[in-house]
Amino acid sequence: MIRDTSRQDTQIEALPLWKNPKAYKAAALLGLTIAFLIWGVNAWHRTGSVDNTLSLSRINIAQVERGDLIRDLVVQGKVVAANSPTLYSPAQGIVKFAVKAGDTVKAGQVLASVDSPELSNQLAQEEAQLNKLSVELQRQKIQAKRQQLENQQKADLARVNLTAAKRELKRAELSKEKQIISLLDFEKSKDDMARAQLEYEQAVQNAELEKESLSFDTQTLHLQVSQQKLQVEELERRVRELEILSPVSGTIGSLAVSQRSAVAANAPLITVVDLTSFELEAAVPENYADDLGLNMAVAVNLGGVNYPVKSLRYPPKSSTTKSSPECALARDNPKTCAKTCASPPAYYWRIAMMCCW
């Protein structure tokens, strides 16, 4: 028999507040929160107050303007001709140069001529063929007029016969009424009139058809003459191109062949250098390649003088070129070495250029 649980219960005494660790932690957290709030209120009060001032002499003030960012970049480059066309032989023949390498020429000046007997002979043959077709066309026109005249004459004769047949039929009708002729003769007169009517109508129709046929024949010869004229004009143009003219004003760069040499069609003959347009090719370091762009304003410093130019192209990197990209810069006049940009971009490059003239 269980009397009670007095032997199983243990009496636990309550700890004082100063000996409880949870009380210490709560007090510490509360103190930190109060300190942070006090510091924040003081800081806000200091920033919002106008009581604290600074002397103007301790502050540096400068005017700020919107402008372009300028970078100085020292690179190596060279001046090259922007336009140096190479002229080719228009046909096979013997070339005769009228200038030498280094000569100054103007636009439209004769530089060389190619003697092509084959082309000249072909032009003469085509001109003879054109003359032949022109004569045949004139002959066809005359023949057409003669044939039309003959056809008109046949139609007129048929009309006269028809008129005579009608008159005979009318006379036969009067004679039949007076019983002068027999019925057989009257019927014969009617047959003659019908035959004359049919011959007249056929003559008129044949004249119209013959006129259309002659018109088509004349038009065919006319088209052949026009086609032959085009061939002759094309050959004349090719013969005129045997005299090679300078497309630009400048100087003769080089002669591809010697004087009076036999050349094939489309063979290079001469190179003309345009002295009114130049380009600067500059090797820009690769680390600046991302900052460069097309049509970017560039100031090139040559001999202590800045010349505004414009970037044209950036050739891609390849295994046969340098590791740094190339920047092509254009200028209009070698004397002024300047090209004005319409709208400069945000980044403006000022390059100190060491050129190889």
Side-chain angles (χ1 to χ4, degrees):
M1 179 177 181
I2 299 174
R3 297 179 179 178
D4 54 15
T5 59
S6 59
R7 295 182 180 181
Q8 297 177 357
D9 296 336
T10 302
Q11 185 177 1
I12 299 175
E13 297 180 358
L15 294 177
L17 184 60
W18 57 86
K19 292 183 179 182
N20 191 354
K22 294 182 179 181
Y24 287 119
K25 292 180 181 180
L29 181 60
L30 180 61
L32 291 175
T33 302
I34 294 174
F36 179 76
L37 292 175
I38 294 173
W39 174 80
V41 171
N42 292 332
W44 174 78
H45 181 73
R46 286 195 302 269
T47 55
S49 178
V50 296
D51 295 338
N52 297 329
T53 58
L54 294 176
S55 175
L56 183 61
S57 59
R58 298 176 57 186
I59 302 175
N60 294 328
I61 299 176
Q63 185 178 1
V64 178
E65 297 180 355
R66 184 183 180 88
D68 298 330
L69 298 178
I70 300 176
R71 290 188 180 182
D72 292 337
L73 183 63
V74 179
V75 297
Q76 291 184 352
K78 60 181 179 180
V79 178
V80 297
N83 186 19
S84 56
T86 300
L87 306 180
Y88 296 84
S89 173
Q92 182 179 2
I94 306 298
V95 62
K96 299 178 182 178
F97 291 106
V99 294
K100 299 180 181 179
D103 292 349
T104 302
V105 296
K106 296 182 180 180
Q109 180 179 345
V110 178
L111 304 181
S113 61
V114 178
D115 185 11
S116 178
E118 179 182 0
L119 191 59
S120 300
N121 186 21
Q122 186 178 358
L123 176 60
Q125 292 179 1
E126 295 296 337
E127 288 178 345
Q129 182 68 18
L130 176 60
N131 294 332
K132 178 182 177 181
L133 291 176
S134 299
V135 172
E136 290 182 357
L137 177 60
Q138 297 299 327
R139 183 185 296 109
Q140 178 64 27
K141 290 181 179 180
I142 296 175
Q143 183 66 25
K145 291 181 180 179
R146 182 184 295 111
Q147 189 67 32
Q148 289 179 4
L149 182 61
E150 292 178 358
N151 295 332
Q152 185 66 34
Q153 184 179 3
K154 291 179 180 180
D156 293 340
L157 290 175
R159 185 174 64 253
V160 172
N161 294 332
L162 177 62
T163 303
K166 289 181 179 181
R167 189 181 304 111
E168 289 296 331
L169 179 61
K170 185 176 182 180
R171 185 181 299 110
E173 290 177 351
L174 293 176
S175 300
K176 181 177 180 298
E177 290 177 358
K178 296 179 180 181
Q179 296 182 355
I180 298 176
I181 61 174
S182 63
L183 181 60
L184 183 62
D185 293 336
F186 177 73
E187 294 294 336
K188 184 177 180 299
S189 298
K190 289 178 63 176
D191 294 340
D192 292 340
M193 195 278 295
R195 184 183 303 106
Q197 179 72 27
L198 182 61
E199 290 178 354
Y200 173 72
E201 292 177 357
Q202 289 182 353
V204 173
Q205 292 178 0
N206 288 333
E208 294 294 334
L209 292 177
E210 192 68 24
K211 183 178 179 180
E212 293 180 2
S213 177
L214 293 174
S215 177
F216 284 135
D217 294 340
T218 304
Q219 186 178 3
T220 301
L221 284 177
H222 183 73
L223 293 177
Q224 291 179 0
V225 171
S226 300
Q227 181 181 4
Q228 190 64 27
K229 282 183 179 180
L230 294 177
Q231 294 180 0
V232 172
E233 290 176 358
E234 175 64 19
L235 288 175
E236 289 178 349
R237 182 189 64 81
R238 293 179 61 185
V239 170
R240 288 194 302 268
E241 288 181 352
L242 293 178
E243 289 189 351
I244 302 174
L245 307 180
S246 175
V248 295
S249 299
T251 183
I252 302 300
S254 62
L255 303 180
V257 296
S258 58
Q259 184 71 274
R260 300 190 65 83
S261 298
V263 294
N266 301 322
L269 298 179
I270 190 171
T271 301
V272 183
V273 179
D274 187 5
L275 297 181
T276 61
S277 179
F278 288 87
E279 288 183 358
L280 282 173
E281 292 184 355
V284 180
E286 191 173 1
N287 54 344
Y288 293 100
D290 295 338
D291 296 332
L292 300 178
L294 296 178
N295 296 326
M296 179 178 290
V298 181
V300 179
N301 190 314
L302 296 175
V305 181
N306 290 331
Y307 300 99
V309 295
K310 184 172 64 174
S311 60
L312 295 181
R313 58 185 177 272
Y314 299 94
K317 175 181 175 182
S318 63
S319 58
T320 58
T321 58
K322 299 180 180 179
S323 59
S324 58
E326 294 182 357
C327 173
L329 309 174
R331 65 182 185 181
D332 284 338
N333 197 316
K335 296 181 180 180
T336 59
C337 189
K339 184 170 185 178
T340 306
C341 298
S343 57
Y347 291 94
Y348 192 89
W349 293 83
R350 187 172 59 202
I351 301 178
M353 186 72 67
M354 294 182 293
C355 294
C356 302
W357 294 89

